[in-house]
Amino acid sequence: SSKNAGRNCFQVYSAELKAEADQRNVLEIELREAIWREEIEVFYQPVIELGTGRVKSVEALARWQHATRGFIPPAEFIAVAEAGGLIVELGNQVLSKACRDAMTMPVDVRVAVNLSALQFAGTDLVDTVRFALAQSGLAQSRLELEITESVFLADTQENLRTLQRLKALGVSIALDDFGVGYSSLSYLTAFPFDKVKIDKSFIDRIDRSETVAVLKSIVQLAKTLKLSIVAEGVEASEQAARLRALGIPLGQGFLFSKPVPLADLSWQGHAPQRGRQAVA
Ligand code: C2E
Ligand code: MG
Ligand code: MG
Ligand code: MG
């Protein structure tokens, strides 16, 4: 009967849900072990000055090479870390590693680290950042922290204060994935960001006049607010050319380089000097 079919349907559905939940739990347990053993790696993707082709900064991106399942994308395991209460520890590891690695890079190159909104709720993030800088010896001006608007969705006042204290440390703050949220513009007025990273979805559609109009207004806004702008997900040289023509100075994407291990970064045209010096 249709009643039985409905019940069977429900059973199949719940069995599927259970399998999915079990898999997620297994992944969480394995992720906890991987973090414990410090197996999460950090790759770096260059941010390029479009006019000169020079590397201005590198973005640290977490990588998990699972023993049997292979590469698991951060979009997957960061969410698991957030749900499982592991993101503060994972975030600290990435931050410390990125600061240490930056000490081996040319002194005119900054390093950018992504922060989860949940890292604002854990132990004092400002202490954590201060500690990572002190431990590595990296100059504050060479560290950039990338946040998304999710930081403004919970505990807004408290998070805003934390952001202000971070900025007071001398690190710079970038608004990531700009333009895809619900009220990106309002967040630009809520905090004096140093940089906005325009989401890849705009770059994908840069051949449309509507997109060009939006990008032009972002460029104007950035000028007024004295913000630096990066275009994310640049894959084609025509896109880079259009970005340059629009006056967008910086680009990041597979056109220039995929995220790579520290040892694979190339520093052509940079002074060989390494270490803690501040970025002008
Ligand atoms: P995100 O911060 O916006 O980082 C940029 C993402 O775009 C990276 O994906 C990068 O590999 C990808 N990408 C860069 N250029 C191109 C391109 O030309 N084409 C395409 N298709 N993709 C490009 P990834 O490494 O998979 O990271 C995804 C997201 O995971 C990041 O987005 C960030 O939100 C998060 N994530 C990664 N590492 C960390 C971390 O250490 N901490 C936190 N909280 N989040 C992280
Ligand atoms: Mg980012
Ligand atoms: Mg982004
Ligand atoms: Mg993104």
Side-chain angles (χ1 to χ4, degrees):
S1 73
S2 69
K3 199 178 162 194
N4 274 338
R7 191 158 60 210
N8 287 340
C9 208
F10 174 75
Q11 281 169 348
V12 169
Y13 182 59
S14 68
E16 257 173 28
L17 276 185
K18 190 177 177 304
E20 220 176 89
D22 286 349
Q23 227 183 47
R24 213 178 154 82
N25 286 337
V26 169
L27 203 63
E28 185 183 313
I29 289 162
E30 290 174 340
L31 181 59
R32 181 169 283 124
E33 285 172 2
I35 294 170
W36 175 250
R37 297 197 207 109
E38 302 196 18
E39 285 170 1
I40 306 298
E41 291 178 80
V42 182
F43 277 28
Y44 297 93
Q45 187 181 33
V47 173
I48 304 294
E49 189 170 53
L50 295 172
T52 62
R54 285 176 65 86
V55 177
K56 294 299 281 184
S57 59
V58 293
E59 178 175 7
L61 293 159
R63 291 291 179 263
W64 183 17
Q65 188 66 44
H66 189 281
T68 55
R69 270 180 269 201
F71 171 74
I72 300 177
E76 214 170 297
F77 73 81
I78 295 289
V80 172
E82 286 177 333
L86 306 170
I87 191 66
V88 170
E89 177 57 26
L90 173 59
N92 288 354
Q93 284 186 15
V94 173
L95 178 68
S96 307
K97 184 117 207 315
C99 288
R100 270 184 273 131
D101 286 349
M103 287 294 284
T104 73
M105 299 177 196
V107 294
D108 58 348
V109 172
R110 286 189 166 91
V111 68
V113 176
N114 291 286
L115 294 180
S116 158
L118 295 181
Q119 288 176 265
F120 283 74
T123 49
D124 190 20
L125 183 57
V126 183
D127 282 344
T128 303
V129 171
R130 203 187 283 118
F131 185 73
L133 289 168
Q135 283 285 90
S136 61
L138 187 72
Q140 315 84 285
S141 62
R142 290 183 61 200
L143 179 63
E144 221 168 74
L145 300 173
E146 296 190 3
I147 64 160
T148 60
E149 64 176 52
S150 59
V151 165
F152 294 98
L153 298 179
D155 267 327
T156 306
Q157 285 312 311
E158 188 61 32
N159 288 357
L160 205 56
R161 262 196 301 278
T162 305
L163 270 181
Q164 277 153 353
R165 289 172 58 220
L166 286 170
K167 196 167 162 135
L169 268 188
V171 305
S172 47
I173 312 287
L175 184 57
D176 205 349
D177 303 341
F178 182 72
V180 287
Y182 291 106
S183 44
S184 302
L185 277 182
S186 76
Y187 297 120
L188 280 190
T189 63
F191 182 77
F193 288 97
D194 299 284
K195 181 183 268 184
V196 287
K197 300 190 77 172
I198 303 173
D199 193 74
K200 181 179 188 303
S201 54
F202 291 95
I203 316 312
D204 290 342
R205 291 179 266 130
I206 200 167
D207 55 338
R208 296 199 206 162
S209 60
E210 294 88 343
T211 312
V212 170
V214 170
L215 291 176
K216 277 183 179 162
S217 70
I218 295 175
V219 169
Q220 275 313 308
L221 194 63
K223 252 188 202 132
T224 310
L225 298 174
K226 298 189 168 57
L227 291 170
S228 172
I229 317 178
V230 182
E232 292 196 287
V234 183
E235 293 179 342
S237 51
E238 307 85 72
Q239 292 173 333
R242 282 176 198 263
L243 289 164
R244 271 188 72 180
L246 281 166
I248 293 174
L250 302 168
Q252 177 180 0
F254 295 172
L255 172 65
F256 309 109
S257 171
K258 291 195 168 185
V260 293
L262 175 68
D264 295 354
L265 286 168
S266 123
W267 302 118
Q268 272 171 3
H270 286 265
Q273 211 178 7
R274 306 277 187 275
R276 82 168 305 276
Q277 281 97 323
V279 177

